Amino acid sequence: MKLRKVTAVSAVVLALAVSATACGSDDKKDEGSSGGGKKIAIGIKYDQPGLGQKTPQGYSGFDVDVAKYVAKKLGYNEDQIEWKESKSADRETMLQRGDVEFIAATYSITPEREKKVDFAGPYLLAHQDVLVRADDTSIKSPADLNSKKLCSVTGSTSAQNIKDTLAPKANLLKYPTYSACLTGLQNKAIDALTTDDSILAGYAAQDQFKGKFKLGGLKMTNENYGIGVKKGSDLKAKINKALEEMVSDGSWQKAVDANFGPANYKNDPAPKIGDIKS
Ligand code: GLU
């Protein structure tokens, strides 16, 4: 009798444990897109107007629109997205650790990064350029940068390209974010900020910098923006399909017009999935 009672109690405990486990997994995966609790963490930039920006009104930019479109195709509404800042130097680690499901953050596809993470895309082709003060006419080619004080970001292709090939003799300062370089450009602590033209156009168009800065127009590299996922993730194929649909149903062009229009950034046409320009 005593033994049977213990068994019955254990059965109840076991049943509770099983149903608790089932509930836990429901929360994460099994509920429909309208179900509560289901969330997806996505990495974006927070300080790049036109691409990825956090403002008191919310999150905006081309990368944000691409991320929202992809999330929707994966079964997540906007209110189920948990945005996380993914600074240039943190992106591979964030994906490897599983902090985010995917990253849409001006993230160039490169062979070095592909050793650590996988990329869907590309979904945009940008080019490395410089942002200088409006009255500066001294930079006409990448070689001119060798005598300059430049600012870029740790963990970016922009900083790496300067060191490796574009202007190895330049005096290069590296900050954690591009916005941190802007004050230096304004107060002449640096001569130029170098990164993708898409990002620089967004800064130049900001109210507080209007008329103060200009782009060099140098098109020094090809930057193929991809969506980063964990190595081996089956999300890559699903995201590629979503990106193709985004172009074919006109949403890609709509996002381009809405986000690059204000900065007058003349972007390249939509790249084909898997077509990486060297
Ligand atoms: N697209 C370049 C990169 O992925 C520069 C922009 C950035 O740092 O996000 O490194």
Side-chain angles (χ1 to χ4, degrees), residues 131-274:
L131 189 70
V132 295
R133 287 180 292 278
D135 60 356
D136 187 344
T137 53
S138 65
I139 300 170
K140 296 189 179 68
S141 75
D144 294 331
L145 299 174
N146 277 310
S147 59
K148 300 287 181 187
K149 206 165 181 189
L150 304 181
C151 187
S152 199
V153 162
T154 314
S156 68
T157 55
S158 322
Q160 200 64 42
N161 292 334
I162 291 291
K163 264 181 62 194
D164 290 351
T165 51
L166 296 173
K169 295 200 187 107
N171 182 352
L172 178 66
L173 280 175
K174 287 192 276 182
Y175 287 164
T177 60
Y178 297 104
S179 53
C181 295
L182 288 169
T183 325
L185 186 58
Q186 210 168 5
N187 65 27
K188 304 194 177 182
I190 57 152
D191 301 312
L193 157 54
T194 183
T195 187
D196 306 337
D197 48 9
S198 48
I199 301 171
L200 298 176
Y203 290 137
Q206 283 198 298
D207 281 345
Q208 73 264 41
F209 301 129
K210 276 227 170 92
K212 289 190 176 150
F213 301 149
K214 65 178 181 192
L215 274 74
L218 300 181
K219 288 204 187 227
M220 299 187 280
T221 66
N222 286 328
E223 303 296 324
N224 304 270
Y225 287 4
I227 295 195
V229 296
K230 198 179 219 157
K231 196 137 200 66
S233 168
D234 59 2
L235 273 184
K236 175 177 168 170
K238 292 179 190 162
I239 295 176
N240 274 337
K241 190 163 170 271
L243 291 174
E244 261 165 3
E245 284 168 2
M246 188 175 184
V247 174
S248 64
D249 73 9
S251 304
W252 185 90
Q253 190 57 48
K254 246 174 88 181
V256 158
D257 296 344
N259 294 297
F260 298 146
N264 203 22
Y265 174 61
K266 300 278 175 261
N267 62 287
D268 285 52
K272 294 262 175 300
I273 298 302

Side-chain angles (χ1 to χ4, degrees), residues 91-92 107-119 155-158 160-161 222-226 276:
R91 292 174 293 199
E92 288 83 42
Y107 199 5
S108 297
I109 303 172
T110 70
E112 294 72 36
R113 290 173 180 166
E114 280 181 314
K115 288 179 193 153
K116 298 179 179 169
V117 299
D118 283 345
F119 287 98
S156 68
T157 55
S158 322
Q160 200 64 42
N161 292 334
N222 286 328
E223 303 296 324
N224 304 270
Y225 287 4
I276 297 160

Side-chain angles (χ1 to χ4, degrees), residues 25-77:
S25 77
D26 265 353
D27 278 354
K28 284 203 186 91
K29 297 194 180 90
D30 299 336
E31 284 177 15
S33 59
S34 59
K38 190 172 96 157
K39 288 267 183 197
I40 185 166
I42 302 174
I44 52 164
K45 293 293 183 72
Y46 275 9
D47 67 334
Q48 296 179 184
L51 285 151
Q53 193 180 21
K54 184 182 180 183
T55 68
Q57 288 75 45
Y59 301 87
S60 63
F62 184 70
D63 282 341
V64 170
D65 285 349
V66 169
K68 279 187 203 164
Y69 187 96
V70 167
K72 182 91 190 158
K73 293 284 173 182
L74 297 176
Y76 297 87
N77 290 322

